[in-house]
């Protein structure tokens, strides 16, 4: 708008008011000036949009790099924790197996039951650690979608968790 009024002022100073140019030519020149002003504004806006697009692309690249770094840190942490958890589990499993083998005959039913629970829970924790490792690998592997039988999955989970469910009185 400012550029348009400047153009009109120039037109007037070049004789638009003094009658040197016919009104029709002044009108045409004014229309051309308006179109030029619009084109200039659009060009400036386009440049602004391009600058913003470049800035946004830079931000996206920066955030993507940060996310990739965070994922690498999380993966390293997962691997470290899972390996650190495996060592005591192996010890617990080995010691409980030795206790059952060496001391089992001397233990009463409650003692044997407790040792079996220790072994079962250590094995269960080992599976959880392995699952944690598998989960950390998912992000690095391409996997195809596959159908899952949810009824079978639910039945398997209920079977696997039957003892804790019964022990807690869950229905």
């Amino acid at each position: 708008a400012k550029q348009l009024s400047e153009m009109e002022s120039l037109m007037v100073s070049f004789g638009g008011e003094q009658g040197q140019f016919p009104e029709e030519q002044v009108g045409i020149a004014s229309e051309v000036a308006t179109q030029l002003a619009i084109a200039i504004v659009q060009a400036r806006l386009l440049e602004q949009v391009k600058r913003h697009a470049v800035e946004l692309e830079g931000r996206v690249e920066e955030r993507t790099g940060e996310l990739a770094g965070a994922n690498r840190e999380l993966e390293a942490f997962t691997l470290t924790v899972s390996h650190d958890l495996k060592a005591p589990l192996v010890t617990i499993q080995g010691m409980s197996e030795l206790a059952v083998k060496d001391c089992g005959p001397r233990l009463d039913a409650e003692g044997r039951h407790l040792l079996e629970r220790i072994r079962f829970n250590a094995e269960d924790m080992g599976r959880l650690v392995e699952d944690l490792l598998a989960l950390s690998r998912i992000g690095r592997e391409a996997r195809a979608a596959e159908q899952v039988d949810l009824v079978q999955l639910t039945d398997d989970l209920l079977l696997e968790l039957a003892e804790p469910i019964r022990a807690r009185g869950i229905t």
Side-chain angles (χ1 to χ4, degrees):
K2 180 181 174 188
Q3 291 165 339
L4 181 59
S5 64
E6 288 175 3
M7 294 290 270
E8 288 173 345
S9 296
L10 282 173
M11 294 291 293
V12 168
S13 67
F14 282 118
E17 257 183 25
Q18 299 163 358
Q20 292 179 1
F21 295 106
E23 190 174 314
E24 182 181 338
Q25 287 180 344
V26 170
I28 291 172
S30 178
E31 183 62 31
V32 169
T34 300
Q35 295 300 317
L36 285 173
I38 291 170
I40 290 170
V41 168
Q42 287 179 338
R44 287 181 179 159
L45 288 174
L46 180 61
E47 285 303 313
Q48 266 187 327
V49 167
K50 285 180 180 179
R51 279 194 309 273
H52 286 301
V54 167
E55 182 181 320
L56 287 175
E57 285 177 22
R59 286 184 188 171
V60 167
E61 285 180 22
E62 181 182 326
R63 297 289 194 269
T64 302
E66 289 173 3
L67 183 59
N71 281 340
R72 283 190 300 273
E73 287 178 22
L74 182 59
E75 187 177 316
F77 174 76
T78 303
L79 289 172
T80 301
V81 168
S82 62
H83 287 293
D84 288 350
L85 289 174
K86 274 185 172 184
L89 283 175
V90 169
T91 301
I92 291 169
Q93 288 171 324
M95 296 286 236
S96 61
E97 285 176 24
L98 283 174
V100 167
K101 182 179 171 186
D102 293 345
C103 305
R106 294 189 305 250
L107 294 173
D108 62 4
E110 178 66 16
R112 285 190 298 278
H113 174 73
L114 290 175
L115 280 175
E116 286 301 318
R117 294 276 319 252
I118 290 170
R119 289 178 60 207
F120 172 79
N121 283 303
E123 288 171 6
D124 194 35
M125 181 66 117
R127 283 189 297 277
L128 290 173
V129 169
E130 289 300 321
D131 291 345
L132 182 62
L133 282 169
L135 181 63
S136 74
R137 287 189 292 269
I138 285 176
R140 295 176 287 170
E141 298 173 354
R143 290 193 51 140
E146 59 185 69
Q147 284 190 324
V148 175
D149 182 350
L150 294 178
V151 172
Q152 183 62 47
L153 179 64
T154 304
D155 290 344
D156 291 347
L157 286 171
L158 287 173
L159 183 63
E160 184 178 326
L161 298 172
E163 186 177 333
I165 289 173
R166 238 186 337 272
R168 291 188 176 99
I170 298 171
T171 56

